């Protein structure tokens, strides 16, 4: 038996209590590396397409669509299938190994001089499909490792990793492409998924029993979303928020650069502040939820995430004032996003029945990812007919409507998951 030295015990005493527990620490490490890999992939694969395959604008659009469409096609199906499997952890390992293998295919074909854009579409589609499988299984493993009273703390740690991946992922991808070339960046990205799989293989929790209901039960996840009051409010609130937020996302870069005259490099700095705000929000979210309750902080997140973005259409006056409003909007919104996600993750983990976790996760992804392109198209259409500035007002104010679903539910009174 290996006994920790006094130095190791002292070093671990600085860790949050959950990270002193070996199974959760391995799970958190795997998730952190996987999230970082996701962010690297989001930039490395398009850069590979541009720099190596010489993709044009239309081809880049097809590549983006290929990565996103598995969320719409497979979330419900894979969620229903996974709920009937006894070991979700093994499926997550398969997903990590699948992503690694597919990402290694592109540089291999490049070296053989047979790489084409259709192959890259297939790579993006396959990585997206494996990512769906990984995500629909994740909640089951989470509740297998974390006691209910620690849901908020665990959610805060995982969202801290997510916030860090926002800050570091794109920068790491850019450096990797510069230093190793685009094919080399994909090889190292694949290595991150292999590391995640190896770490998950060392986590062996007792998972909830699989569903024994007849058939796949594709509709049971959707039915649970709308039957359970907390989940119903969450999905209606998030659908409303995503609809208006993606209307905003479709137009904000155009408005800030063209109408407000903000140079691209300054815009990049402003968007980077959102990631810094997300790091701060992740650090605060767990403490706030523990003190004020997970439900009230979820409501606060629904306000603090979209409300600061009203500063964008409101921005006017001298250039320094406009920049301050832009930076303030992105920074505060990043804080709100992490509070929303941390409280929401803990709240929903406590509300979803064990035998439906993958199906409910699949149903949520279908609705959440399905509404996003609709919001983007609606934003673009309204921007063309009403004008960009009025549409941004509609989008930023409309996003606040998501909180109304929460206020009419039991969520504001929920103190613990």
């Amino acid at each position: 038996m290996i006994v920790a030295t006094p130095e190791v015990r002292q070093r671990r005493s600085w860790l949050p209590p959950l990270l002193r527990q070996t199974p959760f620490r391995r799970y958190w490490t795997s998730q952190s590396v996987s999230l970082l890999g996701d962010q690297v992939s989001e930039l490395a694969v398009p850069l590979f397409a541009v720099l190596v395959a010489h993709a044009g604008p239309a081809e880049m659009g097809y590549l983006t669509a290929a990565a996103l469409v598995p969320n719409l096609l497979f979330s419900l199906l894979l969620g229903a299938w996974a709920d009937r499997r006894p070991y979700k952890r093994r499926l997550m390992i398969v997903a990590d190994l699948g992503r690694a293998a597919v990402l290694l295919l592109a540089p291999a074909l490049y070296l053989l001089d047979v790489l084409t854009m259709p192959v890259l579409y297939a790579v993006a589609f396959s990585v997206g499909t494996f990512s769906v499988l990984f995500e629909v299984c994740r909640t089951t493993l989470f509740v297998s490792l974390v006691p209910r009273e620690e849901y908020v703390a665990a959610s805060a740690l995982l969202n801290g990793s997510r916030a860090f991946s926002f800050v570091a992922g794109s920068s790491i991808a850019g450096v990797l492409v510069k230093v190793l070339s685009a094919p080399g960046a994909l090889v190292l990205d694949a290595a991150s998924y292999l590391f995640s799989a190896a770490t998950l293989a060392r986590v062996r929790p007792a998972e909830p029993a699989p569903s024994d209901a007849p058939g796949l039960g594709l509709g049971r996840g959707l039915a649970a979303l709308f039957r359970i009051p907390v989940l119903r409010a969450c999905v209606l609130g998030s659908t409303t928020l995503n609809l208006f937020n993606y209307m905003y996302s479709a137009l904000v870069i155009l408005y800030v650069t063209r109408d407000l005259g903000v140079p691209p490099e300054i815009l990049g700095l402003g968007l980077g502040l959102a990631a810094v705000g997300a790091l701060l929000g992740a650090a605060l979210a767990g403490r706030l939820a523990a003190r004020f309750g997970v439900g009230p902080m979820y409501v606060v997140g629904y306000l603090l995430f979209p409300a600061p973005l009203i500063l964008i259409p409101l921005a006017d006056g001298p250039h320094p004032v406009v920049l301050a409003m832009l930076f303030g909007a992105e920074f505060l919104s990043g804080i709100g996003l992490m509070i929303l996600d941390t409280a929401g993750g803990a709240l929903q983990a406590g509300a979803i029945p064990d035998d439906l976790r993958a199906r409910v996760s699949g149903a949520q992804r279908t609705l959440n990812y399905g509404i996003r392109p609709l919001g983007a198209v609606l934003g673009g259409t309204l921007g063309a007919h009403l004008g960009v500035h009025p549409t941004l007002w509609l989008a930023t104010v409309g996003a606040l409507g998501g909180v109304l679903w929460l206020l009419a539910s039991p969520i504001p009174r929920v103190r613990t998951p």
Side-chain angles (χ1 to χ4, degrees), residues 286-298:
R287 300 175 188 176
L288 292 172
R291 178 167 184 178
F292 298 107
V294 66
M297 291 315 301
Y298 190 48

Side-chain angles (χ1 to χ4, degrees), residues 90-315:
R90 293 180 182 177
L91 297 180
M92 294 170 71
I93 293 172
V94 168
D96 271 336
L97 294 175
R99 288 188 284 193
V102 170
L103 284 172
L104 289 172
L105 179 65
L109 293 177
Y110 166 72
L111 291 175
L112 295 172
D113 200 26
V114 292
L115 180 71
T116 63
M117 278 307 298
V119 170
L120 275 183
Y121 301 152
V123 166
F125 182 85
S126 300
V127 169
T129 301
F130 282 119
S131 294
V132 170
L133 176 61
F134 187 94
E135 289 298 320
V136 297
C137 295
R138 185 170 54 84
T139 302
T140 301
L141 189 57
F142 176 90
V143 300
S144 302
L145 291 165
V146 182
R148 181 178 287 267
E149 62 271 15
E150 298 287 350
Y151 282 178
V152 173
S155 183
L157 286 169
L158 292 169
N159 277 292
S161 297
R162 181 179 170 220
F164 176 77
S165 74
F166 291 163
V167 175
S170 297
S171 299
I172 290 174
V175 170
L176 290 177
V177 170
K178 178 71 174 178
V179 174
L180 301 177
S181 76
L186 288 187
V187 171
L188 204 57
D189 190 13
S192 74
Y193 290 121
L194 292 175
F195 178 87
S196 174
T199 307
L200 275 179
R202 301 177 66 197
V203 179
R204 301 180 183 276
E207 298 186 28
S211 172
D212 58 0
L216 284 176
L218 292 176
R220 292 189 66 200
L222 281 170
L225 275 181
F226 290 96
R227 184 183 71 251
I228 300 171
V230 166
L231 297 180
R232 180 171 63 245
C234 288
V235 73
L236 291 173
S238 65
T239 301
T240 302
L241 180 60
N242 277 322
L243 173 68
F244 286 101
N245 188 247
Y246 275 78
M247 288 173 57
Y248 164 86
S249 297
L251 299 174
V252 62
I253 292 178
L254 173 65
Y255 178 73
V256 168
T257 55
R258 187 190 69 183
D259 294 13
L260 296 183
V262 176
E265 64 273 15
I266 301 298
L267 175 61
L269 177 61
L271 295 177
L273 282 176
V276 176
L279 278 174
L280 178 60
L284 294 175
R287 300 175 188 176
L288 292 172
R291 178 167 184 178
F292 298 107
V294 66
M297 291 315 301
Y298 190 48
V299 173
V300 169
Y302 259 83
L303 292 170
L304 188 54
F305 169 45
L309 300 180
I310 294 175
L311 290 172
I312 301 299
L314 190 63

Side-chain angles (χ1 to χ4, degrees), residues 321-383:
V321 173
V322 170
L323 293 179
M325 295 177 78
L326 170 64
F327 293 169
E330 296 296 337
F331 181 79
L332 292 173
S333 181
I335 294 175
L337 175 62
M338 286 297 107
I339 292 175
L340 187 157
D341 283 353
T342 298
L347 186 70
Q348 293 177 70
I352 301 172
D354 281 340
D355 64 338
L356 292 175
R357 289 193 182 278
R359 270 173 285 193
V360 169
S361 178
Q364 287 174 322
R365 289 181 69 83
T366 300
L367 293 172
N368 282 333
Y369 280 83
I371 201 66
R372 293 175 184 187
L374 294 178
V377 170
L378 181 59
T381 302
L382 291 176

